[in-house]
Amino acid sequence: MLVYELRVSLLHAEPPVWRRVRMPAEAQLPLVHTSLQLVMGWENRHLHEFVGANRLHYGEAEEGALDAGVLDERHHTLQSLFAEPGERCLYVYDYGDDWVHEIILESVGELLPEEFPLCCLDGSGACPPEDCGGVGGYAALLESLGDGFNARAFDCASFNDEVGSLFPRDDEMHSPESVSEGIALFLGLRDLLETGATIEGAMSVMMLDGFFSALAIHPETILPDRWLPWVWDVTGSGREPGFASKGEVEKAMGLLFTYYNIVVGKLGDEAAGYTPLFDELGIKAAEDRPLAVRDWAQGFICGAMIDKGVWDRTFKDEQGKMLLAPFAMMAGMFDEAQDSRELQVEEMKEKVQDELGFNVLDLREFWVPWRREYLSQHGGGGMIRSEARVGRNDRCPCGSGKKYKQCCGR
């Protein structure tokens, strides 16, 4: 695969804000846009445009329309912007604040076997906040913040962990099209639920992953008319987002149903392992991981409780109650107990958060007979297999001598 190494600089920013990134030469421009949003630190709230070395303009069609003289970026690739080292193009983001990025093609080469095609290699400078007034507004903001904000801070690892964990490093997933689709889905969900115009109280992407995980293994088939209101308002108050057009509604539903199907596919009857989103994204930092796990677990509990009859029946069963306990603990349902057990609960959380993927599979197995019962009552003909699987503390069948959870079950 042919890859480009690019230097992306935010023009006129002080201190300098720049990134050096590797991208597939055949990456479609929507992928280039979403990658730049991630690596620079923007939140994808505004319009954008590319200006190639050939002075042609490429942009995103708004409701099917493009400004005169602007080409549809969906039909062009990174190679449309430039082809020879030393050539430059521009990426303009937010026509109000007018953030202009200069992109220089530094080198062209073949991707090495150990390399991932989409990667941040170096960089410096924190991304300015959205809607701060452009270069002048950012300078004034930095002056008012003083030493309380590190304007030079940047870490490539956060981008690489986020992008790399979304896509398996095999030959099939190295195609620009597959990478583009994965990033577009993740960014679309984040924009819809966390940075878009949805109402306060909507689920975060992390909570949504836990929620869909519970629905995927639930003994009853929960239709969208039951679960969708919880996505928009996790408080259960019934508030709904006010979409501006039919197109916005269709886009939102497409994102949610696509992700729902992905999660259901991961937890199908044949799945021997499962990785929650916080582990897929490689969230390890001491200040970030507990919050991410809590969000995910709260979403899972919300999905497990969506049918009162199933929840009550599970909670009244001694084994069922034990299987629900890890999720309830990580969701914070035991936090109000201010007694001598508080320290013990925190210590247990440290262990439990690394086991939640296995706990999901354990609960799925517990619910299998109930699922059969439900399908027989509702005319379902689907087969559900409950084959013996390797326990998380069993010796790994690969012969390594390690426990399964520390080897192939990670």
Side-chain angles (χ1 to χ4, degrees):
M1 177 191 291
L2 192 67
V3 290
Y4 285 177
E5 286 193 9
L6 314 169
R7 181 184 172 98
V8 185
S9 302
L10 187 58
L11 294 183
H12 312 303
E14 286 295 337
V17 179
W18 63 274
R19 312 284 187 257
R20 180 171 286 110
V21 296
R22 180 197 303 129
M23 288 190 193
E26 296 181 0
Q28 294 180 333
L29 291 185
L31 168 61
V32 179
H33 159 64
T34 52
S35 300
L36 291 173
Q37 287 286 307
L38 276 174
V39 76
M40 293 301 296
W42 299 118
E43 297 178 4
N44 201 24
R45 296 183 185 180
H46 303 285
L47 298 175
H48 68 277
E49 186 176 82
F50 293 95
V51 183
N54 54 11
R55 299 187 183 280
L56 293 178
H57 292 241
Y58 307 84
E60 181 180 20
E62 283 292 303
E63 298 185 355
L66 281 162
D67 292 338
V70 178
L71 302 175
D72 190 339
E73 65 180 28
R74 294 175 298 176
H75 306 311
H76 297 272
T77 68
L78 191 56
Q79 288 175 313
S80 303
L81 301 180
F82 37 36
E84 299 295 331
E87 291 185 339
R88 302 162 185 251
C89 74
L90 298 179
Y91 169 69
V92 183
Y93 172 63
D94 184 357
Y95 300 151
D97 282 4
D98 198 28
W99 298 108
V100 181
H101 307 69
E102 180 186 59
I103 307 177
I104 302 174
L105 176 55
E106 293 191 324
S107 66
V108 179
E110 287 293 327
L111 184 71
L112 298 177
E114 68 274 11
E115 293 177 337
F116 194 63
L118 192 55
C119 181
C120 180
L121 305 171
D122 198 3
S124 178
C127 181
E130 295 271 4
D131 304 315
C132 69
V135 171
Y138 183 46
L141 178 62
L142 289 180
E143 191 173 331
S144 66
L145 291 174
D147 296 334
F149 176 72
N150 184 2
R152 300 182 182 276
F154 174 71
D155 182 10
C156 288
S158 58
F159 172 81
N160 292 332
D161 288 346
E162 186 171 36
V163 173
S165 61
L166 289 173
F167 315 108
R169 298 192 176 213
D170 54 37
D171 291 338
E172 180 181 355
M173 287 303 291
H174 275 184
S175 69
E177 294 80 7
S178 59
V179 174
S180 178
E181 290 172 3
I183 288 187
L185 175 61
F186 181 78
L187 279 183
L189 285 169
R190 191 177 69 175
D191 186 53
L192 172 67
L193 299 172
E194 299 178 28
T195 62
T198 48
I199 57 175
E200 185 177 354
M203 288 187 176
S204 65
V205 179
M206 193 64 64
M207 189 177 292
L208 184 73
D209 188 76
F211 183 59
F212 282 169
S213 299
L215 298 184
I217 66 170
H218 200 279
E220 295 191 2
T221 300
I222 308 298
L223 298 177
D225 63 339
R226 291 180 66 187
W227 60 253
L228 193 55
W230 290 98
V231 174
W232 301 136
D233 185 5
V234 74
T235 67
S237 301
R239 295 174 295 178
E240 297 181 354
F243 292 110
S245 66
K246 180 181 178 182
E248 284 190 3
V249 175
E250 292 175 349
K251 180 179 179 181
M253 294 303 102
L255 288 168
L256 290 172
F257 288 130
T258 298
Y259 195 63
Y260 174 82
N261 289 332
I262 288 173
V263 177
V264 170
K266 289 180 180 178
L267 282 164
D269 300 330
E270 301 297 329
Y274 170 68
T275 304
L277 183 60
F278 54 84
D279 276 334
E280 283 192 6
L281 294 179
I283 300 176
K284 302 292 185 184
E287 64 273 18
D288 296 331
R289 185 172 175 83
L291 296 177
V293 173
R294 183 186 181 97
D295 255 14
W296 185 93
Q298 287 176 344
F300 189 93
I301 285 293
C302 188
M305 294 178 68
I306 199 166
D307 184 272
K308 187 177 185 303
V310 171
W311 173 262
D312 289 345
R313 182 181 175 188
T314 306
F315 205 73
K316 289 176 181 177
D317 185 286
E318 196 62 35
Q319 184 184 359
K321 184 189 295 186
M322 289 180 62
L323 292 173
L324 287 173
F327 306 103
M329 177 187 296
M330 300 313 301
M333 296 176 70
F334 302 157
D335 288 357
E336 294 183 1
Q338 299 293 330
D339 56 21
S340 58
R341 293 183 303 160
E342 185 176 1
L343 181 59
Q344 183 181 359
V345 168
E346 291 303 317
E347 292 174 349
M348 290 176 64
K349 281 184 178 181
E350 289 287 327
K351 300 177 181 178
V352 169
Q353 63 181 329
D354 296 328
E355 303 285 336
L356 287 177
F358 292 107
N359 297 141
V360 172
L361 297 178
D362 289 340
L363 185 57
R364 182 189 67 177
E365 193 169 332
F366 173 79
W367 273 341
V368 162
W370 300 11
R371 178 66 174 167
R372 288 202 191 96
E373 178 184 311
Y374 171 83
L375 290 175
S376 66
Q377 293 174 356
H378 292 80
M383 291 182 64
I384 297 181
R385 299 176 177 86
S386 180
E387 300 174 352
R389 61 181 177 84
V390 182
R392 59 179 178 271
N393 288 311
D394 292 344
R395 189 180 296 274
C396 188
C398 75
S400 66
K402 298 180 180 179
K403 289 184 178 181
Y404 178 63
K405 68 180 181 182
Q406 296 171 337
C407 190
C408 297
R410 296 182 70 175

